[in-house]
Amino acid sequence: MSASPHIPVMLKEVVTALAPKPGGVYVDATFGAGGYSRAILEAADCTVYGFDRDPTAIERAQDIIVEFGGRLQLINRPFAEMREALDEVDVEVVDGIVFDLGVSSMQLDEGERGFSFRHDGPLSMRMDGAKPDAADVVARADAKDLAAIFKSYGEEKRAGAIARAIVREREYAPIETTSRLASIVEKAAPVYGHQRIHPATRVFQALRIFVNDELGQLIAGLYASERLLRPAGRLVVVTFHSLEDRIVKRFIAARSGARREASRHLPPTEEVPASFELVYKNSVAASDEEAEINPRARSAKLRAAQRTDAQPAPDGDEQLGAPREIRLSFMHGGHK
């Protein structure tokens, strides 16, 4: 197991955008190693509820809970369920919510978690350690579905060739480790010219997003945030690839402009006030200095919006740009 530390991305920018205040209640929707939670708690005498569906992250955070004397409370559930979870502890509204999307450095560095081809280990990628996982998908999905996963969630141009190679190779022996899958992908889609990333990068990203339903979770989390934030509460989201950022950008754009109540069968009626207003007109990127020190920050984008006093808009009434859902019979939680 690697002991390399997790470095929170754009930590200063996140705290500035969130603007913690004394007595406030905040949600760190992706607790991880607790970097954002710690910074929020140090910035103001406030309370933080940290969510993480990875039980390992919760177990490792006990010292932080003690350090802040009960101002940090951790919940081992996905952030898509934050409304229900907070309701269970009698929290109806909060002053700010922050998301740091994707996989944490800790998960990538631990080979036994199966997130990265850089460390050999069992092919898992499930953030909660449950099943079915990436190995099940690789073993059971047909070539057409595998190609769709790689193309939709990894934007992999050679998805078909890679999928066919996986189906062919699993006939000889099960594909159960990260190194074996990476080797198959590398042979099916070799590096050309000055390609900077490993050929397996997009395939691993796609499998991780798919088995954890990351985009579905993100959309549900954004809708939950709109209902939890009190007026003047802040929503802050850090994304790392275009699929995530497109959803966040379109959600904030849709919710920060006045629109009209509409029906499929009736003409537009009354105007619906915006439920958010922009904190920053465009996304904020990491500084050159941070990108040099922390490679993970190079692709990061921060977007922030502030809740108005308007009523939340109905869930799912706009196109957020998520790929078409891929449904496999042996999957659960949105992949049935």
Side-chain angles (χ1 to χ4, degrees):
M1 182 182 299
S2 171
S4 62
H6 174 75
I7 305 172
V9 172
M10 301 181 71
L11 183 60
K12 180 180 178 180
E13 292 87 345
V14 164
V15 174
T16 298
L18 199 63
K21 60 184 180 182
V25 177
Y26 298 89
V27 171
D28 182 350
T30 48
F31 181 78
Y36 288 161
S37 289
R38 179 185 292 277
I40 295 166
L41 291 163
E42 289 175 344
D45 184 11
C46 60
T47 300
V48 172
Y49 288 88
F51 284 80
D52 206 304
R53 53 177 162 173
D54 184 348
T56 304
I58 304 297
E59 292 167 7
R60 291 176 175 174
Q62 299 310 305
D63 57 333
I64 306 179
I65 295 174
V66 173
E67 179 181 352
F68 289 98
R71 291 198 290 130
L72 173 64
Q73 299 190 40
L74 300 184
I75 300 174
N76 185 199
R77 290 173 69 171
F79 57 66
E81 300 174 8
M82 70 173 79
R83 283 187 70 201
E84 297 86 345
L86 291 174
D87 184 63
E88 291 170 9
V89 292
D90 297 321
V91 175
E92 296 182 358
V93 291
V94 300
D95 297 280
I97 300 173
V98 59
F99 294 82
D100 173 16
L101 300 175
V103 66
S104 75
S105 299
M106 295 186 304
Q107 291 167 329
L108 288 171
D109 287 342
E110 296 173 0
E112 65 270 24
R113 304 298 300 277
F115 281 97
S116 174
F117 51 81
R118 301 185 191 283
H119 305 278
D120 189 30
L123 188 61
S124 173
M125 301 193 196
R126 278 290 294 260
M127 292 180 179
D128 56 7
K131 293 284 239 171
D133 60 9
D136 295 311
V137 174
V138 167
R140 300 175 65 181
D142 62 28
K144 180 180 178 181
D145 285 333
L146 285 172
I149 290 169
F150 302 153
K151 184 175 182 180
S152 295
Y153 300 118
E155 300 178 312
E156 172 56 60
K157 295 180 180 178
R158 291 171 284 183
I162 293 169
R164 290 190 294 273
I166 288 171
V167 171
R168 183 171 57 251
E169 290 295 325
R170 74 189 185 192
E171 294 297 318
Y172 296 102
I175 303 170
E176 298 176 338
T177 65
T178 55
S179 61
R180 176 156 157 72
L181 177 59
S183 176
I184 292 169
V185 174
E186 193 169 14
K187 291 176 182 176
V191 174
Y192 292 108
H194 300 287
Q195 182 176 325
R196 295 178 61 184
I197 66 171
H198 190 283
T201 300
R202 293 188 180 92
V203 168
F204 273 64
Q205 171 188 298
L207 284 169
R208 191 202 78 222
I209 290 173
F210 179 73
V211 299
N212 292 291
D213 188 27
E214 290 182 29
L215 302 184
Q217 290 279 315
L218 172 57
I219 292 170
L222 292 172
Y223 289 147
S225 297
E226 184 178 19
R227 281 155 175 72
L228 280 168
L229 287 166
R230 68 171 81 247
R234 295 282 183 92
L235 170 65
V236 181
V237 188
V238 179
T239 65
F240 293 91
H241 59 74
S242 60
L243 295 176
E244 298 170 340
D245 187 60
R246 183 186 308 135
I247 291 170
V248 176
K249 180 180 179 180
R250 291 189 180 186
F251 173 81
I252 292 176
R255 295 305 206 251
S256 61
R259 58 233 190 113
R260 292 187 175 277
E261 193 81 65
S263 165
R264 294 180 183 178
H265 310 293
L266 299 173
T269 54
E270 61 182 294
E271 188 174 89
V272 179
S275 55
F276 280 98
E277 58 186 18
L278 298 178
V279 173
Y280 306 121
K281 183 177 179 180
N282 298 307
S283 64
V284 177
S287 67
D288 292 340
E289 293 78 10
E290 180 177 5
E292 182 67 28
I293 296 170
N294 184 7
R296 187 168 180 256
R298 294 172 187 167
S299 61
K301 291 183 179 180
L302 181 153
R303 296 186 186 275
Q306 180 167 293
R307 191 71 169 83
T308 70
D309 59 4
Q311 290 296 310
D315 291 356
D317 67 339
E318 69 282 290
Q319 297 297 317
L320 297 182
R324 179 183 61 84
E325 184 182 27
I326 299 166
R327 304 173 72 86
L328 303 183
S329 60
F330 58 88
M331 295 296 292
H332 58 78
H335 301 295
K336 298 176 182 178

